[in-house]
């Protein structure tokens, strides 16, 4: 199967056209939409979404991810083979989260235009002209060695969330994702707490830890471990992003009791 992740939205024809290109090459392949609502050109959001999706798909899944602010520039188009399958994407850091979890087995730069839609791709729509046909040909069994030239992990662009810092009674983490509800997902993993009690200090708020959103009244802040396994800050029925005026990579302080 091929999964698709983009920032294209569904108002325009871009997603549908990519699916048409794939189906024209391999009519039998299954297509699954991860999301097409990544915030426009937000590579960090795409990184997090891919990283947290791959564990829920069968081995040999092909992950097609197109969030590509530098489309048409000298940035590379790549395919990565790893334990769970294949990731096809621009080399702009979108693969960083997946590569934090899985060691790549092979990385190829997609330079063989035999497997592109045409030899003169658009400067603004590599999703249609390069990435979609490559995904389709891989789904039909085309070898990675035919797609271009092998490159090394060290050459890839990385995007980094500042790492969390743990002291005796304090954790300083960073926001790595903000979901559609305005929940602030940090880079602090659940296993760091080791059954300790804890709370978050942010601006003038002491934000206590609860198990679910409904444990507090509407409009109240809370901290919890989300389904993805990371500490998040939320507002029951509202947006923590708006209430706390926070953005990607900003710090969050946790106090351990």
């Amino acid at each position: 199967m091929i999964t698709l992740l983009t920032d294209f939205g569904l108002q325009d024809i871009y997603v549908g056209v990519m699916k048409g290109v794939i189906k024209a090459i391999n009519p039998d392949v299954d297509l699954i939409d991860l999301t097409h609502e990544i915030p426009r050109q937000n590579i960090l959001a795409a990184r997090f979404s891919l990283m947290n999706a791959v564990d829920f798909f069968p081995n040999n899944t092909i992950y097609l991810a197109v969030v590509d602010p530098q489309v048409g520039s000298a940035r590379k188009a790549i395919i990565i083979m790893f334990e769970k399958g294949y990731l096809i994407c621009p080399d702009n850091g979108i693969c960083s989260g997946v590569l934090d979890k899985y060691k790549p087995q092979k990385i190829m730069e997609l330079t063989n235009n035999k497997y592109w839609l045409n030899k003169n791709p658009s400067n603004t729509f590599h999703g249609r002209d390069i990435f979609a046909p490559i995904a389709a040909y891989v789904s039909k069994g085309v070898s990675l060695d035919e797609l271009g030239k092998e490159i090394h992990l060290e050459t890839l662009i990385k995007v980094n969330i500042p790492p969390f810092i743990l002291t005796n009674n304090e954790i300083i983490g960073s926001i790595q994702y903000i979901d559609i509800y305005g929940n602030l997902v940090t880079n602090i993993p659940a296993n760091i707490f080791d059954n300790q009690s804890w709370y978050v200090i942010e601006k003038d708020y002491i934000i206590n830890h609860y198990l679910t959103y409904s444990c507090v009244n509407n409009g109240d802040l809370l901290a919890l471990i989300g389904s993805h396994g990371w500490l998040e800050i939320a507002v029951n029925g509202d947006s923590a992003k708006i209430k706390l005026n926070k953005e990607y990579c900003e710090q969050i302080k946790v106090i351990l009791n």
Side-chain angles (χ1 to χ4, degrees), residues 11-61:
Q11 176 173 310
D12 300 305
I13 65 171
Y14 306 133
V15 172
V17 166
M18 286 176 60
K19 291 181 177 181
V21 168
I22 292 168
K23 284 289 192 176
I25 296 168
N26 186 357
D28 298 322
V29 71
D30 291 329
L31 299 178
I32 293 181
D33 298 297
L34 279 181
T35 180
H36 299 292
E37 299 297 336
I38 294 293
R40 304 301 179 251
Q41 302 187 346
N42 191 325
I43 294 169
L44 289 174
R47 165 201 167 275
F48 178 87
S49 299
L50 281 170
M51 175 179 67
N52 284 280
V54 294
D55 289 345
F56 299 98
F57 286 87
N59 289 342
N60 297 317
T61 295

Side-chain angles (χ1 to χ4, degrees), residues 44-155:
L44 289 174
R47 165 201 167 275
F48 178 87
S49 299
L50 281 170
M51 175 179 67
N52 284 280
V54 294
D55 289 345
F56 299 98
F57 286 87
N59 289 342
N60 297 317
T61 295
I62 299 164
Y63 302 90
L64 173 54
V66 187
V67 177
D68 198 10
Q70 296 172 307
V71 61
S73 72
R75 69 94 186 93
K76 296 188 286 289
I78 60 174
I79 181 168
I80 300 167
M81 181 171 69
F82 65 107
E83 179 183 340
K84 291 287 291 181
Y86 306 89
L87 173 55
I88 299 167
C89 61
D91 178 26
N92 59 13
I94 195 172
C95 62
S96 298
V98 171
L99 294 180
D100 284 343
K101 298 176 72 171
Y102 296 100
K103 182 178 179 180
Q105 297 166 341
K106 180 174 283 192
I107 307 171
M108 305 294 293
E109 183 179 358
L110 304 174
T111 56
N112 186 355
N113 58 21
K114 173 184 175 181
Y115 295 102
W116 300 357
L117 188 62
N118 57 68
K119 294 183 179 181
N120 297 296
S122 162
N123 288 325
T124 62
F125 199 0
H126 286 184
R128 176 193 67 194
D129 295 344
I130 299 177
F131 296 117
I134 290 289
Y137 282 118
V138 172
S139 75
K140 291 188 73 173
V142 171
S143 167
L144 266 63
D145 292 330
E146 296 187 51
L147 301 177
K149 61 181 183 181
E150 188 165 6
I151 58 176
H152 298 291
L153 174 63
E154 294 74 20
T155 69

Side-chain angles (χ1 to χ4, degrees), residues 75-257:
R75 69 94 186 93
K76 296 188 286 289
I78 60 174
I79 181 168
I80 300 167
M81 181 171 69
F82 65 107
E83 179 183 340
K84 291 287 291 181
Y86 306 89
L87 173 55
I88 299 167
C89 61
D91 178 26
N92 59 13
I94 195 172
C95 62
S96 298
V98 171
L99 294 180
D100 284 343
K101 298 176 72 171
Y102 296 100
K103 182 178 179 180
Q105 297 166 341
K106 180 174 283 192
I107 307 171
M108 305 294 293
E109 183 179 358
L110 304 174
T111 56
N112 186 355
N113 58 21
K114 173 184 175 181
Y115 295 102
W116 300 357
L117 188 62
N118 57 68
K119 294 183 179 181
N120 297 296
S122 162
N123 288 325
T124 62
F125 199 0
H126 286 184
R128 176 193 67 194
D129 295 344
I130 299 177
F131 296 117
I134 290 289
Y137 282 118
V138 172
S139 75
K140 291 188 73 173
V142 171
S143 167
L144 266 63
D145 292 330
E146 296 187 51
L147 301 177
K149 61 181 183 181
E150 188 165 6
I151 58 176
H152 298 291
L153 174 63
E154 294 74 20
T155 69
L156 298 187
I157 300 296
K158 298 178 178 63
V159 291
N160 294 312
I161 302 293
F164 69 85
I165 300 170
L166 173 63
T167 61
N168 288 335
N169 66 341
E170 183 177 283
I171 307 171
I172 302 296
S174 301
I175 297 169
Q176 65 171 330
Y177 185 66
I178 302 173
D179 71 13
I180 195 171
Y181 299 102
N183 298 328
L184 306 174
V185 182
T186 76
N187 65 337
I188 302 172
N191 59 14
I192 203 72
F193 296 108
D194 194 27
N195 296 319
Q196 289 179 273
S197 58
W198 52 273
Y199 59 92
V200 174
I201 294 181
E202 178 56 39
K203 301 187 186 306
D204 296 326
Y205 297 101
I206 294 176
I207 306 171
N208 289 314
H209 168 216
Y210 295 94
L211 293 179
T212 69
Y213 305 107
S214 61
C215 289
V216 300
N217 295 324
N218 277 352
D220 286 351
L221 284 156
L222 70 153
L224 73 163
I225 303 300
S227 61
H228 36 61
W230 306 95
L231 183 158
E232 70 176 65
I233 298 169
V235 174
N236 187 15
D238 211 331
S239 167
K241 175 187 184 299
I242 294 174
K243 185 158 188 165
L244 297 176
N245 190 28
K246 302 293 279 188
E247 288 293 343
Y248 282 78
C249 295
E250 292 191 39
Q251 289 188 337
I252 294 293
K253 181 186 289 188
V254 179
I255 305 299
L256 303 173
N257 291 336

